[in-house]
């Protein structure tokens, strides 16, 4: 049986998760303004679970760089392609992305559980 105190606790948890998500998404947006982006890549194999059931391989971090008039996207995963200061940003962005996914999953789990409860009420 779910008591009122549990519901209040859940409500606090939802609020905290939403605040966390907002903060992380803002930070990710700020980094993308600086030219850093996250990508997931599909390998195309029909048997690949990551691609067929998930969003693909990654997260891979790219940085937009200017070469004369050309603007290109450089994959920061290869050691030769990144400078030491970019490594920190890359690791940070990967961490943010992971935390966003975790918070979203937690919220979705709560939503599904609440929906089941509501359905039980009828
Ligand atoms: Zn794949």
């Amino acid at each position: 049986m779910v008591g009122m105190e549990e519901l209040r606790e859940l409500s606090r948890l939802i609020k905290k998760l939403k605040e966390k998500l907002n903060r992380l998404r803002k930070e990710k947006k700020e980094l993308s303004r600086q030219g850093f982006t996250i990508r997931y890549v599909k390998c195309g194999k029909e048997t690949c679970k990551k691609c067929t059931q998930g969003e693909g391989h990654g997260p891979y971090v790219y940085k937009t760089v200017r070469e004369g008039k050309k603007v290109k996207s450089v994959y920061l995963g290869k050691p030769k392609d990144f400078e030491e200061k970019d490594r920190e940003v890359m690791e940070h962005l990967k961490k943010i992305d992971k935390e966003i996914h975790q918070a979203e999953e937690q919220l979705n789990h709560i939503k599904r559980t609440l929906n089941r409860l509501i359905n039980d009420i009828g």
Side-chain angles (χ1 to χ4, degrees):
M1 189 62 208
V2 185
M4 283 314 277
E5 195 41 54
E6 276 107 328
L7 285 177
R8 267 191 284 271
E9 189 64 44
L10 192 60
S11 164
R12 273 193 289 270
L13 178 67
I14 292 169
K15 198 165 169 244
K16 251 166 77 182
L17 278 169
K18 282 189 154 178
E19 279 167 4
K20 189 180 178 185
L21 262 177
N22 277 340
R23 180 172 52 78
L24 290 167
R25 283 181 181 146
K26 249 187 221 162
E27 212 176 327
K28 192 176 170 180
K29 212 171 156 186
E30 178 50 43
L31 285 169
S32 82
R33 260 200 288 269
Q34 292 172 35
F36 294 92
T37 47
I38 284 258
R39 270 186 223 160
Y40 288 84
V41 181
K42 303 259 179 188
C43 68
K45 285 183 195 138
E46 277 173 37
T47 50
C48 179
K49 274 189 183 166
K50 276 188 174 177
C51 293
T52 52
Q53 288 168 29
E55 50 194 329
H57 303 263
Y60 297 130
V61 182
Y62 289 79
K63 190 188 180 187
T64 308
V65 289
R66 199 172 276 277
E67 271 183 8
K69 282 180 182 172
K70 275 188 193 160
V71 175
K72 65 174 191 175
S73 205
V74 175
Y75 171 48
L76 289 184
K78 289 180 200 150
K80 66 175 172 60
D81 284 337
F82 62 73
E83 294 169 42
E84 203 50 45
K85 64 174 164 41
D86 283 342
R87 181 197 281 274
E88 267 174 46
V89 182
M90 182 183 79
E91 294 303 333
H92 186 59
L93 193 48
K94 277 186 178 177
K95 200 176 142 246
I96 290 175
D97 194 65
K98 204 174 159 193
E99 280 181 48
I100 288 175
H101 276 102
Q102 277 168 351
E104 279 172 347
E105 248 168 50
Q106 271 177 291
L107 275 173
N108 282 333
H109 177 74
I110 291 169
K111 266 188 211 167
R112 279 194 301 271
T113 309
L114 285 176
N115 277 333
R116 263 204 302 277
L117 279 173
I118 288 164
N119 279 335
D120 284 349
I121 295 168

